[in-house]
Amino acid sequence: MAILEITDLKKSFGPLEVLKNITFDVTKNDVVAVIGPSGSGKSTMLRSLVHLETIDGGSIRVADRYLVKNGAYAKPKELSSITARMGMVFQQFDLFPHLTVIENLELAPRLTKREPLDAIKRRSSELLAKVGLSDKSNAYPNKLSGGQKQRVAIARALMMNPDVLLFDEPTSALDPELTGEVLEVMKSLAEEHMTMIVVTHEMEFAKEVANQVIFMDNGHIIETGHPDQLFGNPQFDRTKAFLNRSNSKKIKRKP
């Protein structure tokens, strides 16, 4: 049974259709990479999964519960319970600047009061160690590099023990050196069988880590498949053109 089932998602901003009957499934332990040109609807799709965008039609089922069914959303308390099963890592980190690293991690668990304080503190220490930032627990975000901020954001998303972790272009705001340290953390999560959906422009990451790749363009899913198939033998001309252009840009960046 799919842990996430997305069916016929539709979304418009005024006359502009940004999601056009988006349908795909995610099974537990999947790493799904979503690729495509800017403006293709990737981030809007991802944000709709945690109700940061409301959709105009379609269904989103998380395990055995519907976040939205045929365009009708669950009641507010149910919505909150369902979206809590997913964690989100944003492009611009979105850390609270007035809180230390450890306070950023512990804020949501403290507010929800789902477990004792000592358990929260123990897990925050463990997660900072996991992302290699134990020495930054009392630092404020403005004292961190971009890569460190994004690793804190990943640890913060993990604090609520999500079933699925969503990444919205997590490295696009970083320079190449800092990108590597964030991708290494994401690879380690994949090796630990964390279910993830990653909107990314990092083609090598998608090839190496994902077990399913979705190519989107102009609000549609054009093609989906295993990385070996999609990158090695794409079936559609639009996919081929996008991958060829991505490869040519990569070649141009070489010294």
Side-chain angles (χ1 to χ4, degrees), residues 22 32-38 40 42 200 203 212-225 230-231 234-243 245-246:
I22 297 296
V32 180
V34 184
I35 65 172
S38 298
S40 59
K42 306 183 301 295
T200 184
M203 297 299 121
Q212 179 183 359
V213 180
I214 294 171
F215 171 59
M216 289 182 64
D217 186 40
N218 193 30
H220 293 282
I221 290 180
I222 305 298
E223 187 166 352
T224 183
L230 193 139
F231 288 107
Q235 301 301 299
F236 293 88
D237 290 342
R238 182 65 189 94
T239 314
K240 294 174 184 177
F242 173 78
L243 294 176
R245 189 157 57 247
S246 297

mmCIF file of all heavy atoms in Angstrom, residues 22 32-38 40 42 200 203 212-225 230-231 234-243 245-246:
data_model
loop_
_atom_site.group_PDB
_atom_site.id
_atom_site.type_symbol
_atom_site.label_atom_id
_atom_site.label_comp_id
_atom_site.label_asym_id
_atom_site.label_seq_id
_atom_site.Cartn_x
_atom_site.Cartn_y
_atom_site.Cartn_z
ATOM 1 N N ILE A 22 -2.125 15.877 -11.833
ATOM 2 C CA ILE A 22 -0.909 15.223 -11.345
ATOM 3 C C ILE A 22 -1.282 13.963 -10.566
ATOM 4 O O ILE A 22 -2.062 14.012 -9.611
ATOM 5 C CB ILE A 22 -0.109 16.177 -10.436
ATOM 6 C CG1 ILE A 22 0.356 17.399 -11.223
ATOM 7 C CG2 ILE A 22 1.055 15.450 -9.778
ATOM 8 C CD1 ILE A 22 1.321 17.106 -12.336
ATOM 9 N N VAL A 32 11.933 9.690 -4.106
ATOM 10 C CA VAL A 32 11.376 10.174 -5.368
ATOM 11 C C VAL A 32 12.000 11.526 -5.685
ATOM 12 O O VAL A 32 11.877 12.477 -4.902
ATOM 13 C CB VAL A 32 9.846 10.306 -5.286
ATOM 14 C CG1 VAL A 32 9.281 10.820 -6.613
ATOM 15 C CG2 VAL A 32 9.213 8.972 -4.910
ATOM 16 N N ALA A 33 12.689 11.621 -6.801
ATOM 17 C CA ALA A 33 13.249 12.886 -7.256
ATOM 18 C C ALA A 33 12.304 13.484 -8.297
ATOM 19 O O ALA A 33 11.903 12.802 -9.241
ATOM 20 C CB ALA A 33 14.630 12.678 -7.858
ATOM 21 N N VAL A 34 11.951 14.751 -8.104
ATOM 22 C CA VAL A 34 11.082 15.457 -9.047
ATOM 23 C C VAL A 34 11.932 16.498 -9.758
ATOM 24 O O VAL A 34 12.484 17.407 -9.134
ATOM 25 C CB VAL A 34 9.895 16.133 -8.330
ATOM 26 C CG1 VAL A 34 8.949 16.770 -9.348
ATOM 27 C CG2 VAL A 34 9.144 15.120 -7.460
ATOM 28 N N ILE A 35 12.069 16.343 -11.071
ATOM 29 C CA ILE A 35 12.912 17.231 -11.865
ATOM 30 C C ILE A 35 12.059 17.931 -12.925
ATOM 31 O O ILE A 35 10.930 17.530 -13.191
ATOM 32 C CB ILE A 35 14.077 16.463 -12.521
ATOM 33 C CG1 ILE A 35 13.540 15.447 -13.540
ATOM 34 C CG2 ILE A 35 14.935 15.775 -11.467
ATOM 35 C CD1 ILE A 35 14.641 14.773 -14.377
ATOM 36 N N GLY A 36 12.643 18.959 -13.518
ATOM 37 C CA GLY A 36 11.939 19.700 -14.563
ATOM 38 C C GLY A 36 12.348 21.150 -14.564
ATOM 39 O O GLY A 36 12.981 21.628 -13.613
ATOM 40 N N PRO A 37 12.006 21.883 -15.620
ATOM 41 C CA PRO A 37 12.388 23.288 -15.706
ATOM 42 C C PRO A 37 11.691 24.132 -14.658
ATOM 43 O O PRO A 37 10.659 23.740 -14.099
ATOM 44 C CB PRO A 37 11.950 23.686 -17.129
ATOM 45 C CG PRO A 37 10.858 22.721 -17.458
ATOM 46 C CD PRO A 37 11.217 21.435 -16.782
ATOM 47 N N SER A 38 12.237 25.289 -14.370
ATOM 48 C CA SER A 38 11.598 26.235 -13.463
ATOM 49 C C SER A 38 10.222 26.605 -14.000
ATOM 50 O O SER A 38 10.036 26.765 -15.215
ATOM 51 C CB SER A 38 12.458 27.494 -13.312
ATOM 52 O OG SER A 38 13.717 27.172 -12.759
ATOM 53 N N SER A 40 7.549 24.703 -13.762
ATOM 54 C CA SER A 40 6.792 23.537 -14.232
ATOM 55 C C SER A 40 5.745 23.046 -13.236
ATOM 56 O O SER A 40 4.969 22.146 -13.548
ATOM 57 C CB SER A 40 7.750 22.387 -14.575
ATOM 58 O OG SER A 40 8.523 22.022 -13.450
ATOM 59 N N LYS A 42 6.573 22.075 -9.922
ATOM 60 C CA LYS A 42 7.154 21.123 -8.969
ATOM 61 C C LYS A 42 6.952 21.568 -7.519
ATOM 62 O O LYS A 42 6.485 20.790 -6.682
ATOM 63 C CB LYS A 42 8.655 20.950 -9.237
ATOM 64 C CG LYS A 42 9.012 20.556 -10.660
ATOM 65 C CD LYS A 42 10.490 20.322 -10.843
ATOM 66 C CE LYS A 42 11.364 21.511 -10.507
ATOM 67 N NZ LYS A 42 11.141 22.664 -11.402
ATOM 68 N N THR A 200 14.398 18.806 -7.141
ATOM 69 C CA THR A 200 15.828 19.114 -7.243
ATOM 70 C C THR A 200 16.253 19.395 -8.681
ATOM 71 O O THR A 200 15.640 18.904 -9.633
ATOM 72 C CB THR A 200 16.656 17.940 -6.671
ATOM 73 O OG1 THR A 200 18.045 18.282 -6.694
ATOM 74 C CG2 THR A 200 16.437 16.658 -7.477
ATOM 75 N N MET A 203 20.959 16.594 -10.863
ATOM 76 C CA MET A 203 20.711 15.377 -11.635
ATOM 77 C C MET A 203 21.534 14.190 -11.126
ATOM 78 O O MET A 203 21.053 13.054 -11.109
ATOM 79 C CB MET A 203 21.019 15.615 -13.116
ATOM 80 C CG MET A 203 20.141 16.674 -13.776
ATOM 81 S SD MET A 203 18.378 16.270 -13.766
ATOM 82 C CE MET A 203 17.745 17.687 -12.879
ATOM 83 N N GLN A 212 12.913 6.439 -7.921
ATOM 84 C CA GLN A 212 11.885 6.864 -8.855
ATOM 85 C C GLN A 212 12.145 8.327 -9.212
ATOM 86 O O GLN A 212 12.439 9.142 -8.325
ATOM 87 C CB GLN A 212 10.486 6.735 -8.238
ATOM 88 C CG GLN A 212 9.351 7.178 -9.160
ATOM 89 C CD GLN A 212 7.978 7.101 -8.490
ATOM 90 O OE1 GLN A 212 7.856 6.693 -7.334
ATOM 91 N NE2 GLN A 212 6.944 7.507 -9.202
ATOM 92 N N VAL A 213 12.072 8.638 -10.494
ATOM 93 C CA VAL A 213 12.249 10.020 -10.959
ATOM 94 C C VAL A 213 10.997 10.443 -11.709
ATOM 95 O O VAL A 213 10.474 9.691 -12.542
ATOM 96 C CB VAL A 213 13.488 10.168 -11.871
ATOM 97 C CG1 VAL A 213 13.645 11.616 -12.329
ATOM 98 C CG2 VAL A 213 14.745 9.699 -11.146
ATOM 99 N N ILE A 214 10.525 11.642 -11.380
ATOM 100 C CA ILE A 214 9.361 12.223 -12.055
ATOM 101 C C ILE A 214 9.827 13.469 -12.797
ATOM 102 O O ILE A 214 10.445 14.354 -12.198
ATOM 103 C CB ILE A 214 8.266 12.591 -11.037
ATOM 104 C CG1 ILE A 214 7.699 11.332 -10.376
ATOM 105 C CG2 ILE A 214 7.148 13.390 -11.701
ATOM 106 C CD1 ILE A 214 6.771 11.615 -9.204
ATOM 107 N N PHE A 215 9.555 13.516 -14.087
ATOM 108 C CA PHE A 215 9.870 14.704 -14.872
ATOM 109 C C PHE A 215 8.585 15.482 -15.133
ATOM 110 O O PHE A 215 7.635 14.951 -15.719
ATOM 111 C CB PHE A 215 10.527 14.325 -16.200
ATOM 112 C CG PHE A 215 10.681 15.489 -17.145
ATOM 113 C CD1 PHE A 215 11.412 16.609 -16.772
ATOM 114 C CD2 PHE A 215 10.082 15.479 -18.404
ATOM 115 C CE1 PHE A 215 11.549 17.694 -17.628
ATOM 116 C CE2 PHE A 215 10.216 16.552 -19.268
ATOM 117 C CZ PHE A 215 10.948 17.661 -18.879
ATOM 118 N N MET A 216 8.555 16.738 -14.665
ATOM 119 C CA MET A 216 7.402 17.612 -14.856
ATOM 120 C C MET A 216 7.729 18.755 -15.804
ATOM 121 O O MET A 216 8.858 19.252 -15.826
ATOM 122 C CB MET A 216 6.932 18.197 -13.513
ATOM 123 C CG MET A 216 6.266 17.216 -12.577
ATOM 124 S SD MET A 216 5.681 17.992 -11.027
ATOM 125 C CE MET A 216 4.427 19.137 -11.677
ATOM 126 N N ASP A 217 6.723 19.160 -16.556
ATOM 127 C CA ASP A 217 6.854 20.337 -17.412
ATOM 128 C C ASP A 217 5.475 20.913 -17.659
ATOM 129 O O ASP A 217 4.510 20.173 -17.914
ATOM 130 C CB ASP A 217 7.514 19.963 -18.749
ATOM 131 C CG ASP A 217 7.797 21.185 -19.610
ATOM 132 O OD1 ASP A 217 8.215 22.220 -19.040
ATOM 133 O OD2 ASP A 217 7.600 21.117 -20.830
ATOM 134 N N ASN A 218 5.367 22.224 -17.519
ATOM 135 C CA ASN A 218 4.125 22.940 -17.828
ATOM 136 C C ASN A 218 2.921 22.352 -17.079
ATOM 137 O O ASN A 218 1.831 22.230 -17.633
ATOM 138 C CB ASN A 218 3.875 22.922 -19.342
ATOM 139 C CG ASN A 218 2.790 23.900 -19.764
ATOM 140 O OD1 ASN A 218 2.599 24.942 -19.136
ATOM 141 N ND2 ASN A 218 2.055 23.556 -20.804
ATOM 142 N N GLY A 219 3.139 21.977 -15.810
ATOM 143 C CA GLY A 219 2.040 21.495 -14.993
ATOM 144 C C GLY A 219 1.674 20.043 -15.168
ATOM 145 O O GLY A 219 0.757 19.549 -14.506
ATOM 146 N N HIS A 220 2.371 19.344 -16.060
ATOM 147 C CA HIS A 220 2.089 17.928 -16.314
ATOM 148 C C HIS A 220 3.245 17.055 -15.832
ATOM 149 O O HIS A 220 4.404 17.488 -15.839
ATOM 150 C CB HIS A 220 1.929 17.662 -17.823
ATOM 151 C CG HIS A 220 0.730 18.281 -18.441
ATOM 152 N ND1 HIS A 220 -0.528 17.758 -18.319
ATOM 153 C CD2 HIS A 220 0.606 19.397 -19.223
ATOM 154 C CE1 HIS A 220 -1.384 18.513 -18.988
ATOM 155 N NE2 HIS A 220 -0.726 19.512 -19.543
ATOM 156 N N ILE A 221 2.950 15.814 -15.461
ATOM 157 C CA ILE A 221 3.993 14.791 -15.371
ATOM 158 C C ILE A 221 4.175 14.224 -16.776
ATOM 159 O O ILE A 221 3.264 13.610 -17.332
ATOM 160 C CB ILE A 221 3.617 13.682 -14.373
ATOM 161 C CG1 ILE A 221 3.655 14.224 -12.940
ATOM 162 C CG2 ILE A 221 4.572 12.490 -14.510
ATOM 163 C CD1 ILE A 221 3.303 13.199 -11.880
ATOM 164 N N ILE A 222 5.338 14.466 -17.342
ATOM 165 C CA ILE A 222 5.628 14.013 -18.701
ATOM 166 C C ILE A 222 6.079 12.554 -18.706
ATOM 167 O O ILE A 222 5.681 11.763 -19.557
ATOM 168 C CB ILE A 222 6.721 14.890 -19.353
ATOM 169 C CG1 ILE A 222 6.316 16.370 -19.321
ATOM 170 C CG2 ILE A 222 7.009 14.420 -20.776
ATOM 171 C CD1 ILE A 222 5.057 16.698 -20.100
ATOM 172 N N GLU A 223 6.913 12.223 -17.698
ATOM 173 C CA GLU A 223 7.493 10.875 -17.685
ATOM 174 C C GLU A 223 7.911 10.544 -16.265
ATOM 175 O O GLU A 223 8.333 11.410 -15.491
ATOM 176 C CB GLU A 223 8.699 10.822 -18.630
ATOM 177 C CG GLU A 223 9.275 9.438 -18.812
ATOM 178 C CD GLU A 223 10.244 9.365 -19.995
ATOM 179 O OE1 GLU A 223 10.352 10.347 -20.765
ATOM 180 O OE2 GLU A 223 10.879 8.304 -20.141
ATOM 181 N N THR A 224 7.798 9.280 -15.909
ATOM 182 C CA THR A 224 8.246 8.805 -14.600
ATOM 183 C C THR A 224 8.860 7.424 -14.754
ATOM 184 O O THR A 224 8.445 6.644 -15.624
ATOM 185 C CB THR A 224 7.075 8.774 -13.593
ATOM 186 O OG1 THR A 224 7.562 8.369 -12.308
ATOM 187 C CG2 THR A 224 5.983 7.819 -14.025
ATOM 188 N N GLY A 225 9.867 7.142 -13.941
ATOM 189 C CA GLY A 225 10.499 5.832 -14.033
ATOM 190 C C GLY A 225 11.719 5.731 -13.136
ATOM 191 O O GLY A 225 12.091 6.688 -12.441
ATOM 192 N N LEU A 230 14.901 6.482 -16.957
ATOM 193 C CA LEU A 230 14.564 7.855 -17.349
ATOM 194 C C LEU A 230 15.784 8.616 -17.854
ATOM 195 O O LEU A 230 15.697 9.341 -18.849
ATOM 196 C CB LEU A 230 13.914 8.590 -16.175
ATOM 197 C CG LEU A 230 13.241 9.912 -16.568
ATOM 198 C CD1 LEU A 230 11.900 10.083 -15.847
ATOM 199 C CD2 LEU A 230 14.145 11.110 -16.271
ATOM 200 N N PHE A 231 16.921 8.450 -17.201
ATOM 201 C CA PHE A 231 18.122 9.150 -17.652
ATOM 202 C C PHE A 231 18.807 8.425 -18.818
ATOM 203 O O PHE A 231 19.395 9.055 -19.683
ATOM 204 C CB PHE A 231 19.112 9.307 -16.497
ATOM 205 C CG PHE A 231 18.683 10.317 -15.469
ATOM 206 C CD1 PHE A 231 18.220 9.907 -14.232
ATOM 207 C CD2 PHE A 231 18.732 11.673 -15.738
ATOM 208 C CE1 PHE A 231 17.820 10.829 -13.272
ATOM 209 C CE2 PHE A 231 18.331 12.609 -14.795
ATOM 210 C CZ PHE A 231 17.874 12.181 -13.562
ATOM 211 N N PRO A 234 15.160 7.858 -22.015
ATOM 212 C CA PRO A 234 13.888 8.581 -21.888
ATOM 213 C C PRO A 234 12.986 8.310 -23.081
ATOM 214 O O PRO A 234 13.464 8.167 -24.214
ATOM 215 C CB PRO A 234 14.317 10.050 -21.822
ATOM 216 C CG PRO A 234 15.680 10.090 -22.439
ATOM 217 C CD PRO A 234 16.308 8.773 -22.124
ATOM 218 N N GLN A 235 11.681 8.255 -22.814
ATOM 219 C CA GLN A 235 10.725 7.849 -23.837
ATOM 220 C C GLN A 235 10.106 9.021 -24.592
ATOM 221 O O GLN A 235 9.519 8.824 -25.652
ATOM 222 C CB GLN A 235 9.605 7.022 -23.195
ATOM 223 C CG GLN A 235 10.103 5.766 -22.488
ATOM 224 C CD GLN A 235 10.841 4.836 -23.438
ATOM 225 O OE1 GLN A 235 10.261 4.353 -24.418
ATOM 226 N NE2 GLN A 235 12.121 4.603 -23.163
ATOM 227 N N PHE A 236 10.231 10.222 -24.053
ATOM 228 C CA PHE A 236 9.540 11.356 -24.659
ATOM 229 C C PHE A 236 10.541 12.425 -25.098
ATOM 230 O O PHE A 236 11.557 12.659 -24.426
ATOM 231 C CB PHE A 236 8.535 11.962 -23.672
ATOM 232 C CG PHE A 236 7.384 11.031 -23.358
ATOM 233 C CD1 PHE A 236 7.469 10.107 -22.324
ATOM 234 C CD2 PHE A 236 6.222 11.077 -24.118
ATOM 235 C CE1 PHE A 236 6.423 9.244 -22.050
ATOM 236 C CE2 PHE A 236 5.170 10.227 -23.847
ATOM 237 C CZ PHE A 236 5.267 9.298 -22.815
ATOM 238 N N ASP A 237 10.238 13.071 -26.211
ATOM 239 C CA ASP A 237 11.132 14.094 -26.744
ATOM 240 C C ASP A 237 11.350 15.233 -25.758
ATOM 241 O O ASP A 237 12.460 15.778 -25.671
ATOM 242 C CB ASP A 237 10.573 14.655 -28.059
ATOM 243 C CG ASP A 237 10.647 13.656 -29.203
ATOM 244 O OD1 ASP A 237 11.424 12.678 -29.083
ATOM 245 O OD2 ASP A 237 9.915 13.837 -30.195
ATOM 246 N N ARG A 238 10.298 15.594 -25.017
ATOM 247 C CA ARG A 238 10.436 16.712 -24.067
ATOM 248 C C ARG A 238 11.427 16.348 -22.961
ATOM 249 O O ARG A 238 12.226 17.190 -22.533
ATOM 250 C CB ARG A 238 9.065 17.064 -23.460
ATOM 251 C CG ARG A 238 9.117 18.256 -22.500
ATOM 252 C CD ARG A 238 9.495 19.543 -23.233
ATOM 253 N NE ARG A 238 9.755 20.640 -22.325
ATOM 254 C CZ ARG A 238 10.964 20.967 -21.860
ATOM 255 N NH1 ARG A 238 12.028 20.265 -22.230
ATOM 256 N NH2 ARG A 238 11.124 21.980 -21.040
ATOM 257 N N THR A 239 11.387 15.104 -22.496
ATOM 258 C CA THR A 239 12.344 14.646 -21.484
ATOM 259 C C THR A 239 13.755 14.672 -22.050
ATOM 260 O O THR A 239 14.699 15.149 -21.399
ATOM 261 C CB THR A 239 12.002 13.225 -21.008
ATOM 262 O OG1 THR A 239 10.611 13.122 -20.734
ATOM 263 C CG2 THR A 239 12.791 12.872 -19.762
ATOM 264 N N LYS A 240 13.915 14.178 -23.268
ATOM 265 C CA LYS A 240 15.231 14.145 -23.899
ATOM 266 C C LYS A 240 15.799 15.557 -24.037
ATOM 267 O O LYS A 240 16.986 15.784 -23.762
ATOM 268 C CB LYS A 240 15.137 13.489 -25.283
ATOM 269 C CG LYS A 240 14.766 12.019 -25.246
ATOM 270 C CD LYS A 240 14.558 11.476 -26.660
ATOM 271 C CE LYS A 240 14.084 10.031 -26.640
ATOM 272 N NZ LYS A 240 13.806 9.520 -28.004
ATOM 273 N N ALA A 241 14.962 16.505 -24.446
ATOM 274 C CA ALA A 241 15.424 17.877 -24.637
ATOM 275 C C ALA A 241 15.870 18.488 -23.306
ATOM 276 O O ALA A 241 16.902 19.170 -23.232
ATOM 277 C CB ALA A 241 14.313 18.718 -25.260
ATOM 278 N N PHE A 242 15.104 18.242 -22.251
ATOM 279 C CA PHE A 242 15.459 18.786 -20.937
ATOM 280 C C PHE A 242 16.781 18.198 -20.444
ATOM 281 O O PHE A 242 17.657 18.927 -19.969
ATOM 282 C CB PHE A 242 14.344 18.488 -19.924
ATOM 283 C CG PHE A 242 14.703 18.861 -18.515
ATOM 284 C CD1 PHE A 242 14.654 20.175 -18.095
ATOM 285 C CD2 PHE A 242 15.104 17.880 -17.602
ATOM 286 C CE1 PHE A 242 15.010 20.522 -16.790
ATOM 287 C CE2 PHE A 242 15.448 18.217 -16.304
ATOM 288 C CZ PHE A 242 15.399 19.541 -15.899
ATOM 289 N N LEU A 243 16.938 16.890 -20.564
ATOM 290 C CA LEU A 243 18.158 16.252 -20.084
ATOM 291 C C LEU A 243 19.365 16.670 -20.916
ATOM 292 O O LEU A 243 20.463 16.878 -20.383
ATOM 293 C CB LEU A 243 17.997 14.729 -20.108
ATOM 294 C CG LEU A 243 16.957 14.158 -19.128
ATOM 295 C CD1 LEU A 243 16.820 12.656 -19.318
ATOM 296 C CD2 LEU A 243 17.321 14.488 -17.686
ATOM 297 N N ARG A 245 19.740 19.544 -22.388
ATOM 298 C CA ARG A 245 20.056 20.912 -21.995
ATOM 299 C C ARG A 245 20.759 20.928 -20.631
ATOM 300 O O ARG A 245 21.710 21.681 -20.415
ATOM 301 C CB ARG A 245 18.788 21.761 -21.948
ATOM 302 C CG ARG A 245 19.058 23.255 -21.764
ATOM 303 C CD ARG A 245 17.902 24.106 -22.256
ATOM 304 N NE ARG A 245 16.671 23.760 -21.583
ATOM 305 C CZ ARG A 245 15.617 23.192 -22.167
ATOM 306 N NH1 ARG A 245 15.671 22.894 -23.467
ATOM 307 N NH2 ARG A 245 14.515 22.928 -21.494
ATOM 308 N N SER A 246 20.304 20.077 -19.705
ATOM 309 C CA SER A 246 20.947 19.979 -18.390
ATOM 310 C C SER A 246 22.383 19.519 -18.533
ATOM 311 O O SER A 246 23.288 20.025 -17.874
ATOM 312 C CB SER A 246 20.176 19.020 -17.487
ATOM 313 O OG SER A 246 18.869 19.497 -17.240
#
